[in-house]
Amino acid sequence: MPRILITGCSSGFGLAIAQTFVSAGWDVVATMRTPQTDLMPHSEKLKILALDVTSADSITKAVEAAGPIDALVNNAGVGMLNVLEGAEMPKIRELFETNVFGAMAMTKAVLPQMRIRRSGVIVNVSSSVTIKPLAALSVYSASKAALNAFTESLALETALFGVRAKLVLPGSAPTTGFGKNAVARMGMDIPEPYSAFVHDYLTTLRSGTEFTTPDDVADAVWRAVTEPDAPMKTPAGADAKTWFREAGHSLA
């Protein structure tokens, strides 16, 4: 069976993606910064490895331990909820190190073997914030927009060797810990002049009725990996699909 390596599998989207591919009989390499062996039922199809996508040494060790990879899913990501004036530059750089440079480094690490075999697929998990601008997400949106541009251009390069590159765009996923983890890691010290605006805006967003679940994202990634004619961008979740349509895109 083919083998897939997925980054950021400790919770949320990554965990659901790993479970989906294990259930389908794939050999799955689920990676996370701090390995946890009790997140999924034991399976001969599942290998859990330590991986920090911001560390070159960690990437080298994980890719070597994983063996031949038929599909790579760059899911590991960091969020940031704040206006630009409230964001510290070291935190902005930390976010880009994971969301953009980490995905680039992982892709660069596995691409040679795919190129030599003339087959493989790379799926980058982006965000629906690249479809519809949202306040207090300028830094995060910029990182995902960069990931989109990288992937679309990369696809032209990899197509020379039969390797596909695709994007999955999830919407808001309140059932995951992504937002809380983002605040814990990046902080949320909103400057006073913006506080009322951000509070009101977040209240409006939370009153929405359409959301994204981890299974929505896992289904979209499955499609991007297994369907040769999958579109470049696949929205994942009811809200992402609505924004996708409103932006004038058709749902293939």
Side-chain angles (χ1 to χ4, degrees), residues 193-226:
Y194 298 92
S195 59
F197 167 72
V198 173
H199 173 77
D200 292 345
Y201 192 74
L202 291 178
T203 299
T204 300
L205 284 180
R206 289 165 180 160
S207 66
T209 57
E210 292 184 325
F211 299 102
T212 297
T213 69
D215 285 342
D216 291 332
V217 179
D219 290 344
V221 170
W222 172 263
R223 180 184 177 191
V225 169
T226 62

Short mmCIF file of all heavy atoms in Angstrom, two decimals, residues 193-226:
data_model
loop_
_atom_site.label_atom_id
_atom_site.label_comp_id
_atom_site.label_asym_id
_atom_site.label_seq_id
_atom_site.Cartn_x
_atom_site.Cartn_y
_atom_site.Cartn_z
N PRO A 193 -6.90 50.68 21.41
CA PRO A 193 -7.68 51.34 20.36
C PRO A 193 -8.45 50.36 19.46
O PRO A 193 -9.42 50.77 18.81
CB PRO A 193 -6.61 52.09 19.54
CG PRO A 193 -5.50 52.32 20.52
CD PRO A 193 -5.48 51.09 21.36
N TYR A 194 -8.03 49.10 19.44
CA TYR A 194 -8.68 48.10 18.59
C TYR A 194 -9.60 47.16 19.36
O TYR A 194 -10.28 46.33 18.76
CB TYR A 194 -7.63 47.24 17.89
CG TYR A 194 -6.70 47.96 16.95
CD1 TYR A 194 -5.48 48.45 17.41
CD2 TYR A 194 -7.01 48.12 15.60
CE1 TYR A 194 -4.60 49.10 16.55
CE2 TYR A 194 -6.13 48.76 14.73
CZ TYR A 194 -4.93 49.25 15.22
OH TYR A 194 -4.07 49.89 14.37
N SER A 195 -9.59 47.23 20.68
CA SER A 195 -10.22 46.18 21.49
C SER A 195 -11.72 46.05 21.22
O SER A 195 -12.24 44.93 21.06
CB SER A 195 -9.96 46.42 22.98
OG SER A 195 -10.47 47.69 23.37
N ALA A 196 -12.44 47.14 21.18
CA ALA A 196 -13.89 47.06 20.96
C ALA A 196 -14.18 46.51 19.57
O ALA A 196 -15.08 45.68 19.39
CB ALA A 196 -14.52 48.44 21.13
N PHE A 197 -13.42 46.97 18.58
CA PHE A 197 -13.60 46.50 17.21
C PHE A 197 -13.39 44.99 17.11
O PHE A 197 -14.21 44.26 16.53
CB PHE A 197 -12.62 47.22 16.29
CG PHE A 197 -12.48 46.62 14.92
CD1 PHE A 197 -13.50 46.73 13.98
CD2 PHE A 197 -11.32 45.93 14.56
CE1 PHE A 197 -13.37 46.17 12.71
CE2 PHE A 197 -11.19 45.37 13.30
CZ PHE A 197 -12.22 45.49 12.38
N VAL A 198 -12.30 44.48 17.70
CA VAL A 198 -12.01 43.05 17.64
C VAL A 198 -13.05 42.25 18.40
O VAL A 198 -13.52 41.20 17.93
CB VAL A 198 -10.59 42.76 18.19
CG1 VAL A 198 -10.35 41.26 18.30
CG2 VAL A 198 -9.54 43.40 17.29
N HIS A 199 -13.46 42.74 19.57
CA HIS A 199 -14.47 42.04 20.36
C HIS A 199 -15.78 41.90 19.58
O HIS A 199 -16.36 40.81 19.51
CB HIS A 199 -14.72 42.77 21.68
CG HIS A 199 -15.86 42.20 22.48
ND1 HIS A 199 -15.74 41.03 23.21
CD2 HIS A 199 -17.14 42.62 22.63
CE1 HIS A 199 -16.90 40.76 23.78
NE2 HIS A 199 -17.76 41.71 23.46
N ASP A 200 -16.23 43.01 19.00
CA ASP A 200 -17.47 42.98 18.23
C ASP A 200 -17.36 42.08 17.01
O ASP A 200 -18.31 41.35 16.66
CB ASP A 200 -17.87 44.40 17.79
CG ASP A 200 -18.27 45.28 18.96
OD1 ASP A 200 -18.52 44.74 20.05
OD2 ASP A 200 -18.31 46.52 18.78
N TYR A 201 -16.20 42.10 16.38
CA TYR A 201 -16.00 41.30 15.18
C TYR A 201 -16.02 39.81 15.53
O TYR A 201 -16.64 39.00 14.83
CB TYR A 201 -14.67 41.67 14.52
CG TYR A 201 -14.49 41.11 13.13
CD1 TYR A 201 -15.20 41.65 12.06
CD2 TYR A 201 -13.65 40.06 12.88
CE1 TYR A 201 -15.07 41.15 10.78
CE2 TYR A 201 -13.49 39.55 11.60
CZ TYR A 201 -14.20 40.10 10.56
OH TYR A 201 -14.06 39.58 9.28
N LEU A 202 -15.35 39.43 16.62
CA LEU A 202 -15.32 38.04 17.04
C LEU A 202 -16.71 37.56 17.44
O LEU A 202 -17.09 36.42 17.17
CB LEU A 202 -14.35 37.85 18.20
CG LEU A 202 -12.87 38.02 17.87
CD1 LEU A 202 -12.02 37.84 19.11
CD2 LEU A 202 -12.44 37.03 16.79
N THR A 203 -17.48 38.43 18.07
CA THR A 203 -18.86 38.07 18.44
C THR A 203 -19.68 37.76 17.20
O THR A 203 -20.46 36.80 17.17
CB THR A 203 -19.52 39.21 19.24
OG1 THR A 203 -18.76 39.44 20.44
CG2 THR A 203 -20.95 38.86 19.61
N THR A 204 -19.50 38.57 16.16
CA THR A 204 -20.22 38.33 14.90
C THR A 204 -19.81 37.01 14.27
O THR A 204 -20.66 36.23 13.81
CB THR A 204 -19.94 39.48 13.90
OG1 THR A 204 -20.38 40.71 14.47
CG2 THR A 204 -20.66 39.24 12.59
N LEU A 205 -18.52 36.73 14.27
CA LEU A 205 -18.04 35.48 13.68
C LEU A 205 -18.59 34.27 14.42
O LEU A 205 -18.98 33.27 13.81
CB LEU A 205 -16.51 35.44 13.70
CG LEU A 205 -15.76 36.29 12.67
CD1 LEU A 205 -14.26 36.11 12.86
CD2 LEU A 205 -16.16 35.89 11.25
N ARG A 206 -18.61 34.36 15.74
CA ARG A 206 -19.05 33.21 16.55
C ARG A 206 -20.55 32.96 16.44
O ARG A 206 -21.03 31.89 16.82
CB ARG A 206 -18.66 33.43 18.01
CG ARG A 206 -17.16 33.32 18.25
CD ARG A 206 -16.75 33.88 19.59
NE ARG A 206 -15.30 33.76 19.80
CZ ARG A 206 -14.62 34.49 20.67
NH1 ARG A 206 -15.24 35.38 21.43
NH2 ARG A 206 -13.31 34.33 20.78
N SER A 207 -21.27 33.95 15.92
CA SER A 207 -22.72 33.77 15.77
C SER A 207 -23.07 33.05 14.47
O SER A 207 -24.24 32.77 14.20
CB SER A 207 -23.43 35.14 15.80
OG SER A 207 -23.06 35.92 14.67
N GLY A 208 -22.07 32.76 13.66
CA GLY A 208 -22.30 32.06 12.40
C GLY A 208 -22.82 30.65 12.63
O GLY A 208 -22.63 30.06 13.70
N THR A 209 -23.45 30.11 11.61
CA THR A 209 -24.05 28.77 11.73
C THR A 209 -23.30 27.72 10.91
O THR A 209 -23.61 26.54 11.01
CB THR A 209 -25.52 28.80 11.27
OG1 THR A 209 -25.58 29.28 9.93
CG2 THR A 209 -26.34 29.71 12.17
N GLU A 210 -22.33 28.15 10.11
CA GLU A 210 -21.58 27.21 9.29
C GLU A 210 -20.14 27.13 9.79
O GLU A 210 -19.48 28.15 10.00
CB GLU A 210 -21.58 27.65 7.82
CG GLU A 210 -22.95 27.55 7.16
CD GLU A 210 -22.91 27.88 5.69
OE1 GLU A 210 -22.11 28.76 5.30
OE2 GLU A 210 -23.66 27.26 4.92
N PHE A 211 -19.68 25.89 9.97
CA PHE A 211 -18.34 25.67 10.49
C PHE A 211 -17.68 24.50 9.76
O PHE A 211 -18.29 23.84 8.92
CB PHE A 211 -18.39 25.38 12.00
CG PHE A 211 -18.97 26.50 12.81
CD1 PHE A 211 -20.28 26.43 13.27
CD2 PHE A 211 -18.22 27.63 13.09
CE1 PHE A 211 -20.83 27.47 14.01
CE2 PHE A 211 -18.75 28.67 13.83
CZ PHE A 211 -20.06 28.59 14.29
N THR A 212 -16.43 24.24 10.14
CA THR A 212 -15.65 23.15 9.57
C THR A 212 -15.31 22.16 10.67
O THR A 212 -14.96 22.55 11.78
CB THR A 212 -14.35 23.69 8.94
OG1 THR A 212 -14.68 24.56 7.86
CG2 THR A 212 -13.47 22.57 8.43
N THR A 213 -15.39 20.88 10.35
CA THR A 213 -15.01 19.83 11.30
C THR A 213 -13.72 19.17 10.83
O THR A 213 -13.36 19.25 9.64
CB THR A 213 -16.10 18.75 11.40
OG1 THR A 213 -16.15 18.02 10.15
CG2 THR A 213 -17.46 19.36 11.70
N PRO A 214 -12.99 18.51 11.73
CA PRO A 214 -11.80 17.78 11.31
C PRO A 214 -12.09 16.76 10.21
O PRO A 214 -11.27 16.56 9.31
CB PRO A 214 -11.33 17.11 12.60
CG PRO A 214 -11.77 18.05 13.68
CD PRO A 214 -13.12 18.55 13.21
N ASP A 215 -13.26 16.11 10.28
CA ASP A 215 -13.60 15.14 9.24
C ASP A 215 -13.77 15.80 7.87
O ASP A 215 -13.46 15.20 6.84
CB ASP A 215 -14.88 14.38 9.62
CG ASP A 215 -14.65 13.36 10.72
OD1 ASP A 215 -13.48 12.98 10.94
OD2 ASP A 215 -15.62 12.94 11.36
N ASP A 216 -14.28 17.04 7.86
CA ASP A 216 -14.39 17.78 6.59
C ASP A 216 -13.01 17.94 5.95
O ASP A 216 -12.84 17.76 4.73
CB ASP A 216 -14.97 19.18 6.82
CG ASP A 216 -16.43 19.17 7.23
OD1 ASP A 216 -17.15 18.24 6.84
OD2 ASP A 216 -16.84 20.11 7.93
N VAL A 217 -12.04 18.27 6.77
CA VAL A 217 -10.68 18.49 6.27
C VAL A 217 -10.06 17.17 5.82
O VAL A 217 -9.42 17.09 4.77
CB VAL A 217 -9.81 19.18 7.33
CG1 VAL A 217 -8.39 19.38 6.82
CG2 VAL A 217 -10.43 20.53 7.72
N ALA A 218 -10.27 16.12 6.62
CA ALA A 218 -9.74 14.81 6.26
C ALA A 218 -10.32 14.34 4.92
O ALA A 218 -9.59 13.79 4.08
CB ALA A 218 -10.05 13.80 7.36
N ASP A 219 -11.61 14.57 4.71
CA ASP A 219 -12.25 14.18 3.44
C ASP A 219 -11.65 14.96 2.27
O ASP A 219 -11.43 14.40 1.18
CB ASP A 219 -13.76 14.42 3.51
CG ASP A 219 -14.47 13.45 4.44
OD1 ASP A 219 -13.87 12.42 4.80
OD2 ASP A 219 -15.62 13.73 4.82
N ALA A 220 -11.42 16.26 2.48
CA ALA A 220 -10.85 17.09 1.42
C ALA A 220 -9.42 16.66 1.09
O ALA A 220 -9.02 16.63 -0.08
CB ALA A 220 -10.89 18.56 1.82
N VAL A 221 -8.65 16.34 2.11
CA VAL A 221 -7.28 15.88 1.89
C VAL A 221 -7.29 14.54 1.17
O VAL A 221 -6.49 14.31 0.25
CB VAL A 221 -6.51 15.78 3.23
CG1 VAL A 221 -5.17 15.07 3.02
CG2 VAL A 221 -6.27 17.17 3.81
N TRP A 222 -8.19 13.66 1.57
CA TRP A 222 -8.31 12.36 0.89
C TRP A 222 -8.55 12.55 -0.61
O TRP A 222 -7.91 11.90 -1.43
CB TRP A 222 -9.44 11.54 1.50
CG TRP A 222 -9.74 10.28 0.75
CD1 TRP A 222 -10.72 10.08 -0.19
CD2 TRP A 222 -9.03 9.04 0.84
NE1 TRP A 222 -10.66 8.80 -0.69
CE2 TRP A 222 -9.63 8.14 -0.07
CE3 TRP A 222 -7.94 8.61 1.60
CZ2 TRP A 222 -9.19 6.83 -0.23
CZ3 TRP A 222 -7.50 7.30 1.44
CH2 TRP A 222 -8.11 6.43 0.54
N ARG A 223 -9.44 13.47 -0.91
CA ARG A 223 -9.74 13.74 -2.32
C ARG A 223 -8.52 14.30 -3.04
O ARG A 223 -8.19 13.89 -4.15
CB ARG A 223 -10.92 14.72 -2.41
CG ARG A 223 -11.31 15.07 -3.83
CD ARG A 223 -12.42 16.10 -3.86
NE ARG A 223 -12.74 16.46 -5.25
CZ ARG A 223 -13.50 17.48 -5.59
NH1 ARG A 223 -14.05 18.24 -4.65
NH2 ARG A 223 -13.74 17.75 -6.86
N ALA A 224 -7.85 15.25 -2.41
CA ALA A 224 -6.68 15.88 -3.05
C ALA A 224 -5.56 14.87 -3.29
O ALA A 224 -4.84 14.95 -4.29
CB ALA A 224 -6.17 17.03 -2.18
N VAL A 225 -5.42 13.91 -2.38
CA VAL A 225 -4.37 12.91 -2.51
C VAL A 225 -4.72 11.84 -3.54
O VAL A 225 -3.89 11.45 -4.35
CB VAL A 225 -4.08 12.26 -1.15
CG1 VAL A 225 -3.16 11.03 -1.31
CG2 VAL A 225 -3.41 13.26 -0.20
N THR A 226 -5.96 11.36 -3.49
CA THR A 226 -6.30 10.16 -4.26
C THR A 226 -6.92 10.41 -5.62
O THR A 226 -6.94 9.50 -6.46
CB THR A 226 -7.28 9.28 -3.45
OG1 THR A 226 -8.50 10.01 -3.22
CG2 THR A 226 -6.66 8.88 -2.11
#
